[in-house]
Amino acid sequence: MNMLSALKCLLCLIKCSKYLYYIKKAVCFAFIVLALVTGFSLLSGESRTLKKLKEMI
């Protein structure tokens, strides 16, 4: 009975790891998009964004 419980737990971990892989990819994609948007807004010369960044530093 203990072996069956361990196999069920292992199967659950395998399923969860598959979903975690896709979540990691989605978070990475969102971070890249956010970095690109921030970069373009800085390059466009918005003075409000530059002032906020200077205040943070």
Side-chain angles (χ1 to χ4, degrees):
M1 197 65 167
N2 193 12
M3 182 75 115
L4 184 61
S5 176
L7 286 175
K8 284 182 181 179
C9 184
L10 184 62
L11 183 62
C12 180
L13 286 174
I14 290 171
K15 286 181 181 179
C16 290
S17 68
K18 181 176 71 169
Y19 295 123
L20 288 175
Y21 173 78
Y22 290 118
I23 290 171
K24 184 180 81 169
K25 291 290 183 185
V27 168
C28 186
F29 179 73
F31 178 75
I32 290 172
V33 169
L34 181 65
L36 287 174
V37 168
T38 304
F40 283 132
S41 69
L42 287 175
L43 290 176
S44 68
E46 290 184 17
S47 61
R48 289 181 289 142
T49 307
L50 290 174
K51 287 180 184 177
K52 287 181 182 179
L53 285 175
K54 287 180 183 177
E55 289 175 2
M56 289 172 58
I57 296 172

